[in-house]
Structures are given as C-alpha cells and as structure tokens.
Amino acid sequence: MPRRKPAGRRPQRAKDVLHGRAGESGDAFRCIGCRMDVPITAPGTAHRNHCPHCLTSRHVDRRVPGDRAEQCRGRMDAVSMSARDNGEWQLVHQCQACGSLKANRIAGDDNALALMRIALRPLADPRIGHRALLAL
C-alpha cells in the first residue's frame, strides 16, 4: 500500500508550553525523578517532555505535546525503547498512577548510558531466551 505522504517529514512545530504551577512559562522545570533542574530547550526536538538524566517524565499531556490537558499528573518511568521507520529512537513511558503508555522522542542531550540500559533490558532477562527456544 503506498504511503499517503512523501518520504520527507514536515518540521516539528514549536509549542508554547507552560511549565510552572501558576501557568508561567519559565526556562526550566524540576524533574519528578531525580529533582534536577532541567532546561526546557532540547537539541533535536521542539519540546522537551522528559528529564535527560534519569529519563523520567510527568503525565501532563493528553493528545498533543504541550496541551497540559491530562488530569493524572502521575510519574512516568521509561520502560522500553522503540524505533521509527526512519531509524529515530523513542522512549516508551508508563504512568505509575494510571498505567497508560506514551511514546516520546529522545533528545540529543539524553543520557546515553541510561538509554542503552533501557534498550538492552530485554537481553538481560534470562527468561526471554528460554521463551524464544520454546517457541522454535
């Protein structure tokens, strides 16, 4: 089935996101996981949605990045990695409060060691190899 759009993707549009409790924009936010101050600018993406140090996020957006329409506000931990067709990596976050899953683009300044730990997590589980052998 042919693709509806040409191979080139349109550039990501900038978002006007409010990070503060009182609705102020600010230039940084405090991570819910490691409590570090994180700048809102991120190389490789127009909208930062997770901490580059511990890869933790907060469940605030419902459909569109930056809409702040989700009422849950739970902690979202990075549980897995995914790759798009063009080779770009994505983090899969799961909310600890409601259990929903979200895929987020990685940024250029994300901790490479933390990304590799998540990417290699399935290979470290000895049960996966056992299940693969049983499936043969």
Side-chain angles (χ1 to χ4, degrees):
M1 184 169 171
R3 293 180 67 149
R4 291 182 289 181
K5 295 184 178 180
R9 296 181 63 113
R10 66 177 171 79
Q12 189 176 14
R13 67 181 184 268
K15 281 97 176 166
D16 187 25
V17 179
L18 304 176
H19 289 284
R21 292 178 187 254
E24 68 272 7
S25 61
D27 60 347
F29 64 91
R30 174 121 341 151
C31 175
I32 192 172
C34 65
R35 308 297 294 161
M36 293 186 73
D37 288 330
V38 178
I40 60 170
T41 57
T45 182
H47 175 69
R48 182 181 299 279
N49 50 20
H50 61 273
C51 173
H53 308 288
C54 66
L55 307 178
T56 302
S57 183
R58 184 182 286 268
H59 196 186
V60 292
D61 297 336
R62 183 169 293 155
R63 297 204 49 178
V64 178
D67 67 3
R68 301 301 192 246
E70 185 60 55
Q71 298 298 319
C72 176
R73 302 281 194 244
R75 176 184 173 146
M76 296 189 79
D77 291 327
V79 294
S80 183
M81 298 283 290
S82 175
R84 289 184 173 175
D85 291 338
N86 63 359
E88 183 181 35
W89 283 17
Q90 292 182 326
L91 280 169
V92 178
H93 284 97
Q94 183 174 25
C95 180
Q96 299 303 308
C98 68
S100 71
L101 294 171
K102 297 274 186 175
N104 296 313
R105 297 172 64 181
I106 65 167
D109 61 348
D110 285 347
N111 185 343
L113 182 60
L115 290 171
M116 291 307 293
R117 277 191 190 136
I118 292 172
L120 295 175
R121 189 179 293 164
L123 298 176
D125 188 0
R127 296 174 294 174
I128 291 177
H130 181 71
R131 282 185 277 174
L133 287 174
L134 290 176
L136 294 177

